[in-house]
């Protein structure tokens, strides 16, 4: 018998999970997607300049290498097309129910009952929430009375007034550094409001010519070479942000040289020099962010934002920065895992209560008291330096092992509380010594606990989840 599996979310995570199950011969899989189309963050983020900041040879599934990438850092529409084509080819698209926003999931003593906003219910033996960490935009509560159009980068629309407009951009993270260079020159003026300067590195982008793509198409194993090259690069950046001295010095120097070469004005350069340790927030690969900030029609404001006025943004120095469009490049509610979905486990225990001090999960995958629940891209599985798809694929492989056990008649799989607690203790101990514990970033929740990030190298995570250990689980019926 093939266990019934409900996957929540049809982004990279949900599609990988469903594809792995189908490939393993488990075909009772339904993917519930809240939006009207598949694609997750690559459907949602369409702002000008939006592109992958992990090179595509690594930001693609290992089981679906793509010989057609046009360049090393492709734009968002190319990534979305790749994801959808892969989902089609692997038979996932036909399993997706669109406009199916899951509102609750309840363990009823043997299976999950999943309900969507329109009242439809699904029964499943296994529940796989794969809703990502970056699906819900955050607009900080800036007081004021701004009357012009406001947009978050993840909700960009093509009808926004950009050409010839005065645009205010709040935030200088991964989204802003792609957006601002793309609209500089189109807008009359851009005012960038920076709270903390990010670390940047040169982006080693390049076009992939026809010859290369032809060769990749004819001999897919050739694509392992660029994948290995990018992997090696991420090992260096990974070492740099997890305390490696040599790698750290190398990467910081590269960033300093980039700033010196690209920003001649010493005062501007000083304001763009990071104060946080490297890795506190995502290190950003860019060739055009710093040059954009040196343009006469772009200004960098580092004064604290006080409020908005009907026509702009007032900063602490009293100045009002007039704008016709205000863009929030202010990130996502990454620490609110499964926001909007009421999950109830054994004995009526709410997942929200289990996670009251912050989300956690054994191996980032499974939570005591919530049998047969396997998260994809769950707590402490984000990475600041490499491709999250690497983590996702290994989670999908673990899920397949779990479903295989259930198919062979095992009792529901509920991780032992002491096993999950020991794992969590270890991860949190390591995280308190990490760069993320010492600075403000979206990796930490309001209580200061790092709930999004994995503390080590990606290869360690792969080793930890390679084999499902039956002894980690309680053997209990229903
Ligand atoms: O968001 P962020 P993002 N007043 O949270 C500032 C992924 N991604 O959308 O640094 C003033 O990084 C905040 O300031 P500070 C990637 O994983 C991937 O840019 O906190 N400013 C910061 O500058 C990334 O890590 C791609 O001091 C305020 C900015 O807003 C994640 O998405 C592309 C503020 C938020 O930066 C999020 O990136 C884009 C306030 N009240 C994104 N509140 C790829 O290419 C916040 N800020 C794969």
């Amino acid at each position: 018998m093939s266990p019934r599996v409900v996957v929540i979310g049809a982004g990279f995570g949900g599609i990988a999970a469903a594809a792995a199950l189908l490939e393993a011969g488990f075909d009772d899989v339904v993917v519930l997607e809240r939006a009207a189309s598949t694609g997750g963050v690559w459907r949602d983020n369409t702002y000008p300049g939006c592109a992958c900041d992990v090179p595509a040879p690594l930001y693609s599934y290992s089981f679906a290498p793509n010989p057609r990438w046009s360049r090393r850092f492709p734009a968002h529409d190319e990534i979305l097309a790749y994801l959808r084509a892969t989902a089609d080819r692997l038979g996932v698209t036909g399993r997706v129910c669109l406009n199916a926003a899951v509102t609750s999931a309840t363990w009823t003593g043997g299976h999950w009952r999943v309900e969507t906003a329109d009242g439809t219910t699904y029964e499943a033996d296994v529940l796989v929430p794969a809703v990502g960490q970056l699906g819900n935009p955050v607009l900080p509560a800036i007081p004021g009375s701004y009357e012009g159009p406001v947009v978050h980068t993840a909700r960009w629309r093509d009808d926004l007034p950009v050409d010839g407009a005065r645009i205010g951009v709040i935030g200088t993270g991964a989204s802003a550094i792609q957006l601002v260079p793309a609209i500089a020159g189109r807008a009359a003026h851009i005012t960038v409001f920076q709270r903390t300067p990010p670390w940047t590195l040169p982006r080693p982008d390049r076009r992939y010519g026809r010859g290369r793509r032809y060769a990749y198409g004819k001999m897919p194993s050739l694509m392992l070479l660029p994948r290995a090259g990018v992997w090696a690069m991420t090992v260096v950046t990974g070492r740099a942000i997890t305390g490696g001295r040599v790698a750290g010095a190398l990467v910081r120097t590269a960033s300093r040289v980039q700033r010196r070469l690209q920003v001649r004005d010493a005062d501007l350069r000083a304001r763009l020099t990071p104060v946080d340790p490297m890795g506190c927030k995502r290190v950003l690969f860019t060739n055009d962010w710093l040059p954009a900030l040196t343009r006469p029609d772009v200004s960098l404001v580092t004064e604290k934002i006080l409020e908005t006025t009907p026509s702009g943004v007032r900063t602490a120095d009293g100045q009002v920065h007039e704008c016709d469009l205000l863009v929030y490049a202010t990130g996502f509610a990454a620490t609110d895992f499964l926001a909007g979905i009421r999950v109830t486990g054994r004995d009526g225990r709410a997942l929200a209560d289990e996670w009251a001090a912050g989300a956690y999960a054994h191996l980032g995958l499974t939570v005591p008291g919530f049998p047969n629940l396997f998260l994809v891209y769950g707590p402490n599985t984000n990475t600041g330096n490499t491709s999250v798809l690497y983590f996702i694929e290994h989670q999908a492989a673990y899920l397949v092992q779990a479903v295989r056990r259930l198919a062979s008649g095992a009792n529901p799989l509920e991780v032992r509380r002491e096993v999950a607690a020991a794992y969590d203790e270890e991860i949190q101990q390591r995280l308190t010594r990490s760069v993320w514990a010492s600075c403000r970033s979206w990796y930490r929740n309001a209580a200061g606990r790092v709930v999004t990030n994995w503390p080590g190298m990606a290869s360690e995570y792969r080793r930890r989840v390679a084999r499902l250990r039956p002894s980690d689980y309680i053997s209990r019926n229903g």
Side-chain angles (χ1 to χ4, degrees), residues 363 365 394 398 401 461-468:
L363 302 171
L365 280 157
H394 292 290
Y398 187 98
Q401 294 180 55
Y461 185 75
R462 170 178 51 77
R463 283 196 301 278
R464 299 285 289 263
V465 300
R467 197 175 63 82
L468 183 152

Side-chain angles (χ1 to χ4, degrees), residues 1-66:
M1 182 216 52
S2 188
R4 300 162 297 173
V5 183
V6 163
V7 177
I8 310 176
F12 262 107
I15 288 171
L21 290 166
L22 294 175
E23 165 72 19
F26 300 112
D27 59 0
D28 198 342
V29 178
V30 173
V31 183
L32 303 178
E33 166 54 52
R34 69 179 175 181
S37 59
T38 59
V41 291
W42 297 105
R43 171 204 58 226
D44 291 347
N45 285 271
T46 61
Y47 57 83
C50 181
C52 192
D53 65 2
V54 176
L58 195 60
Y59 197 85
S60 40
Y61 295 127
S62 65
F63 55 82
N66 180 14

